[in-house]
Amino acid sequence: MIIELNSEDKALNIQQEISFFNQSSDTLTSIVLNDWNNGYSNKNTPLAKRFSDEFYRGFHLAKEEERGSTKNLTVSDSNLSIISWERTEKNPDLIVVKLKEKLLPNQKVILQLTYITKIPSDKFTKYGYGKDGEMNLKNWFLTPARYENHDFIRNNNNNLDDIANAVSNFDIDLKIPKNLEITSDLNNSLTPKNEVFSNYKLSGNNRTDFSLFIEPKSTFIIYKNSATEVLTNLKENKVSAVQKAIIVDRVMNYANNLIGKYPHEKIIVSQTDYERNPFYGLNQLPSFLSPFSDEFIFEIKFLKTYLNSYLKNSLRLDPRKDNWIYDGIQVYAMMKYIDENYPNTKMFGSVSKFRLLKSYNLTNLDFNEQYSYFYMLMARKNLDQPLGNPKNSLIKFNEQIASKYRAGLSLIYLDDYLDHNIVNSSIRQFYTQNKEKQTSRDDFETILKSNSNKDINWFFKTIINSRDIIDYKFSTVSRTQDSITFSVKSKTGVLVPVPVYGIKKGEIIFKKWLDIPEIDSSFTIERKSVDKIVLNYKNEVPEYNLRNNWKSLKSFYPNNRPIKFNFMKDLEDPYYNQILYVPSLSYNLYDGLSPGLRLHNKTILDKPFTFDINPSYSTKTNNFSGSGSLAINQNYRNSRLYNVRYSLSSSYFHYAPDASYLRINPMVLLRIREENFRDNRKQAILLRQVLVNKEKSSILLTNSKENYSVFDAKYFNSKTEVTNHFGFTSDLQISSEFGKISGELEYRKLFENNLQINLRMYAGSFLYNKTDSDFYSFALDRPTDYLFDYNYYGRSEKAGLFSQQFILAEGGFKSKLAAPYANQWITTVNGSFNIWNWIEIYGDVGVVKNKFQNGKFVYDSGIRLNLVTDYFELFFPVYSNNGWEIGQNNYNEKIRFLVTLSPKTLINIFNRKWF
């Protein structure tokens, strides 16, 4: 390539020659080139859709000049005769060059290309140009795609760092303004500068990719040992240069010894690469805690990023299809490194030494034990995916964290089972093979099997290529003075090896691997005076539930786990029944501030059974109030109906200054998902019986019943991403007094001109209505909430600030109109669109129909300040059936507000990016 940088336009003018050698046994009529930079070209590319799917708005809202593209491409042969090419709308980041003549095996063709690469802003992916003139170039040039199984691999750019390039030799002439410097892992030399430009020559052989940084002044520091040159700009200013050099040398030698010699002369370990794939867990801790030394933090950052670059630049795999091998070897090597160099380090570092935190399982975990909990977080949510799945099919939390850690844990598991030498030697053998030829996961499997003297088919079938869960327990145990006879049962029917430990006074006396031949298998082993036997004591096996893995051998020992109380939150401890307690504070107008104490068993991992009891004290009424719930979760692993939740909840608060209510709510929730876990479509069916017992209020004038019961059945169906949202809800309510049915449609669209429109339609009708009040009627602007579902701060207020609280439900109107209820049927449409940032115009129209009256047409309009959606919003009515409201008296009483005090709402906004 001959490249000239136009720093003003953020563009590269490129002349390129590709000498393509057909090393396959096939005759080729076309060549596929990866053009991943063009994935930034518009809002409809696979990359743009990925951003939208993961709720990242930045790309959609970006200016046109911030996007990247590949422009003015011409392709010719060695005789400069034009060759046709195509880039389809479906694959805008791939180019298919149609050869004029067939390319036979062992023949080559030369392609001449000229084009302009427009570099995108680095705010999208951290690759591209920065605000200070620097450029981090990644996937910016055209290069042949990997050829495998009789075809080119046609992967789209999904921001996953998994481009599948053919192995190439590079020879580059680069011309840049003289005020800039470059850093690259290619061999490079600087020719004499002239007054305007610097000219660099770069070269490298047998590579699938390379890194190139262009900066006003290079931020990289060079470290050398006898084998490789490392260039890094990892930020850790508190670590001395000498200490960094020692760490870098230690990591380099460790990787060479464990995996094999790095095949290239240079390797780049950049801050950008670390930030794209940080060490999750370590990077989430607040800096003021300083649980780890600065040297340790730098070492872990460098180790993780170095191994990532080391493997990506060395292994000739399809990094999308065979991603688990990259992740597995990386995390395996990291865990081995910690075992060798920091065997006593805890997950929370020095925090574990605080006396107040000694009782927490979270602070007592060894550093390497955290990997298992990150995987188990997803398994308990029934969101884990097979390790062997392509990288682009994984949901974000699995792709970045859970599956990555599970891959490393799986190799550690196999290593332990095969006695700590076969996995190491197999990795080195596979790594050596990669230097000689293009490989795949099948080659790695073949090497592992050929080196093992045990049958390990279960490892690939169950651990790698399925999401089957492992759960063992003791079914029967008997003992004598000298021996123990026990049966191990697989609760899920999955049969993989598991270790059994003999424990005496907390010390490991023996460990033995059990090959489980059938679902309920019996074993007899020597007792060796142990007082407890435990399956999977060190959690080598990625097991779903460790709470049923131990048996005491003491006489008359009650096998129940003792109760342990912990403040706030903790990880699940399999040897205790944990009860967590935390102070709580709630508020409503009638109870006032209500301090309380919440008692629950909800640890960080989901559980089959949970309870949550929150008694509180009402400071206004000087009475006790509160809420509580019990729930049973049942997951279905191989069904679109993936979770059923059975629950019983109850709450007791005041609904008026002089009257309280008790609500009891037995409920069944069925959750349904698509076969593709990345599909954002969610469905659910809710069945419940709401029983309400209210005290009679002498203040409120209402003829509603004090005691009533309503059966409620709801169906939810929604699909959400940044650019589109569609939701449908249907609701059927049946009681002795009334029956009603309703439906709600929601639609949101973010257009390419960044105009967003929100539409909602609500329609409801009574099936029968025996009441003569509006207590159960449909409401235009403020439902009576007879089911006590909504978080009203002053639910019975008819005037004043608390009556202005807005909750989007039923009619969804913001103005208070003269006919606010419908006891026969209602239909409304709510709409809004943004005019500038978070300022929107809204309008509502509808018809309300009451018995013995004609339907009444209703409407309102105004300004909506959408400061934080569903969390903090303000509505200013302008015109409605009431006339010009903005000019009427007491306008401040017409303003509506939406305020949510629950932090769970904001947490859900964050979670949707990951799950």
Side-chain angles (χ1 to χ4, degrees), residues 719-735:
K719 185 166 185 174
T720 303
E721 57 186 59
V722 161
T723 55
N724 281 291
H725 164 79
F726 174 82
F728 170 71
T729 303
S730 63
D731 188 10
L732 171 68
Q733 297 180 15
I734 300 293
S735 79

Side-chain angles (χ1 to χ4, degrees), residues 7 22 112 128 139 144 172 260 268 278 284 304 356 360 418 505 514 521 526 529 641 655 660 769 783 894 900 906:
S7 54
N22 182 8
Q112 304 283 353
N139 308 141
I172 300 170
I268 283 185
Q284 304 301 312
K304 186 178 191 300
L356 288 173
Y360 286 84
L418 296 178
K505 296 180 180 178
L514 306 175
S521 305
E526 187 179 352
S529 70
L641 172 64
Y655 74 96
S660 63
N769 187 358
K894 299 175 181 290
T900 304
L906 277 183

Side-chain angles (χ1 to χ4, degrees), residues 376-589:
M376 195 54 63
L377 182 71
M378 297 304 280
R380 293 284 184 89
K381 291 180 181 294
N382 201 6
L383 287 172
D384 56 305
Q385 295 171 272
L387 295 180
N389 276 14
K391 191 175 184 179
N392 65 327
S393 70
L394 303 179
I395 57 179
K396 187 174 181 179
F397 194 93
N398 286 334
E399 179 258 313
Q400 297 240 326
I401 306 175
S403 292
K404 187 182 292 284
Y405 290 174
R406 168 78 188 275
L409 287 166
S410 298
L411 288 179
I412 289 286
Y413 171 25
L414 186 64
D415 177 56
D416 200 319
Y417 175 67
L418 296 178
D419 298 328
H420 301 288
N421 55 13
I422 290 173
V423 171
N424 278 10
S425 62
S426 296
I427 289 173
R428 286 194 293 270
Q429 185 178 338
F430 179 67
Y431 189 79
T432 301
Q433 189 181 92
N434 264 270
K435 296 178 182 179
E436 302 166 357
K437 67 172 187 174
Q438 184 169 285
T439 55
S440 70
R441 68 168 72 184
D442 295 335
D443 298 300
F444 189 47
E445 181 175 343
T446 299
I447 289 172
L448 280 168
K449 286 181 176 178
S450 64
N451 289 338
S452 174
N453 56 5
K454 298 179 181 178
D455 179 10
I456 58 171
N457 282 317
W458 55 268
F459 178 77
F460 298 97
K461 179 183 177 182
T462 302
I463 305 299
I464 303 301
N465 295 319
S466 83
R467 61 187 299 266
D468 295 340
I469 57 173
I470 304 163
D471 189 7
Y472 285 118
K473 72 168 189 173
F474 290 112
S475 55
T476 60
V477 176
S478 61
R479 64 200 181 283
T480 67
Q481 190 84 13
D482 303 317
S483 66
I484 311 166
T485 298
F486 57 90
S487 293
V488 176
K489 183 175 182 178
S490 171
K491 294 181 67 177
T492 60
V494 176
L495 304 179
V496 297
V498 64
V500 62
Y501 287 80
I503 307 295
K504 183 175 183 180
K505 296 180 180 178
E507 298 291 326
I508 298 173
I509 305 301
F510 66 78
K511 172 186 177 182
K512 179 179 176 62
W513 277 95
L514 306 175
D515 290 309
I516 310 295
E518 52 191 41
I519 290 177
D520 202 342
S521 305
S522 296
F523 302 89
T524 299
I525 57 176
E526 187 179 352
R527 179 168 181 177
K528 297 184 179 179
S529 70
V530 300
D531 52 38
K532 185 191 299 181
I533 56 173
V534 185
L535 294 170
N536 198 21
Y537 183 65
K538 290 289 188 179
N539 206 9
E540 297 95 333
V541 183
E543 199 174 358
Y544 186 76
N545 179 21
L546 298 174
R547 292 166 60 82
N548 53 12
N549 279 27
W550 63 282
K551 285 286 186 180
S552 173
L553 303 179
K554 293 179 180 179
S555 299
F556 309 112
Y557 186 85
N559 226 12
N560 295 326
R561 288 175 290 273
I563 293 175
K564 182 169 74 170
F565 288 90
N566 283 121
F567 180 64
M568 291 292 288
K569 206 75 168 173
D570 196 8
L571 279 179
E572 181 176 291
D573 190 332
Y575 305 112
Y576 290 91
N577 284 315
Q578 293 160 289
I579 297 179
L580 300 139
Y581 61 94
V582 57
S584 65
L585 185 66
S586 61
Y587 174 81
N588 71 61
L589 183 61

Side-chain angles (χ1 to χ4, degrees), residues 53-316:
D53 192 40
E54 293 182 351
F55 300 95
Y56 172 63
R57 294 171 61 94
F59 187 78
H60 195 89
L61 299 176
K63 300 174 183 176
E64 197 59 37
E65 58 266 25
E66 293 177 316
R67 305 189 199 284
S69 61
T70 303
K71 300 183 291 185
N72 301 344
L73 172 64
T74 62
V75 182
S76 59
D77 60 19
S78 56
N79 297 319
L80 302 183
S81 177
I82 297 296
I83 299 176
S84 64
W85 58 271
E86 67 175 7
R87 178 196 285 137
T88 64
E89 187 175 334
K90 181 181 178 182
N91 296 306
D93 43 17
L94 298 173
I95 286 174
V96 180
V97 178
K98 298 178 179 180
L99 301 177
K100 290 187 173 181
E101 297 179 1
K102 293 180 179 179
L103 186 63
L104 301 176
N106 297 318
Q107 289 188 346
K108 73 175 181 180
V109 64
I110 293 177
L111 304 177
Q112 304 283 353
L113 296 81
T114 62
Y115 56 96
I116 297 174
T117 291
K118 169 67 177 68
I119 303 300
S121 168
D122 65 1
K123 70 180 185 179
F124 309 131
T125 64
K126 301 187 184 297
Y127 297 137
Y129 70 84
K131 59 183 179 180
D132 297 321
E134 73 279 7
M135 288 188 178
N136 178 358
L137 300 182
K138 197 77 171 177
N139 308 141
W140 50 275
F141 58 92
L142 301 180
T143 185
R146 175 185 170 106
Y147 193 84
E148 180 179 274
N149 296 327
H150 310 294
D151 199 3
F152 288 95
I153 293 175
R154 301 165 195 258
N155 289 343
N156 298 118
N157 184 357
N158 291 140
N159 189 29
L160 296 173
D161 285 342
D162 60 350
I163 193 168
N165 289 334
V167 177
S168 303
N169 298 335
F170 293 97
D171 189 4
I172 300 170
D173 290 330
L174 175 62
K175 185 178 180 181
I176 64 173
K178 69 173 184 177
N179 61 329
L180 299 174
E181 299 178 0
I182 74 160
T183 304
S184 177
D185 51 352
L186 294 179
N187 298 321
N188 64 81
S189 59
L190 175 64
T191 59
K193 293 183 180 180
N194 61 30
E195 294 181 357
V196 182
F197 292 101
S198 299
N199 292 286
Y200 290 88
K201 286 191 174 295
L202 300 91
S203 62
N205 294 336
N206 296 318
R207 305 187 65 107
T208 55
D209 204 357
F210 62 88
S211 297
L212 179 59
F213 293 81
I214 302 175
E215 302 170 282
K217 182 173 179 56
S218 177
T219 57
F220 287 82
I221 300 172
I222 300 174
Y223 298 92
K224 287 185 179 181
N225 68 8
S226 58
T228 311
E229 182 178 299
V230 174
L231 301 91
T232 182
N233 65 347
L234 277 183
K235 296 175 183 176
E236 195 54 64
N237 298 327
K238 297 179 182 178
V239 181
S240 70
V242 173
Q243 189 61 37
K244 285 182 179 179
I246 293 171
I247 291 170
V248 169
D249 188 64
R250 182 191 303 154
V251 170
M252 292 167 67
N253 290 329
Y254 170 79
N256 282 341
N257 293 333
L258 182 74
I259 302 171
K261 186 179 183 302
Y262 186 67
H264 308 300
E265 295 180 18
K266 296 181 180 181
I267 185 171
I268 283 185
V269 180
S270 71
Q271 180 67 23
T272 297
D273 288 339
Y274 175 74
E275 289 174 356
R276 281 182 58 84
N277 288 285
F279 188 93
Y280 289 99
L282 191 67
N283 72 321
Q284 304 301 312
L285 297 172
S287 57
F288 70 86
L289 284 176
S290 298
F292 300 102
S293 68
D294 297 322
E295 292 84 359
F296 181 81
I297 291 174
F298 176 80
E299 191 163 358
I300 293 300
K301 284 183 177 180
F302 182 82
L303 173 66
K304 186 178 191 300
T305 314
Y306 180 82
L307 288 170
N308 186 52
S309 297
Y310 189 95
L311 294 168
K312 280 189 174 180
N313 293 333
S314 304
L315 297 181
R316 300 184 184 184

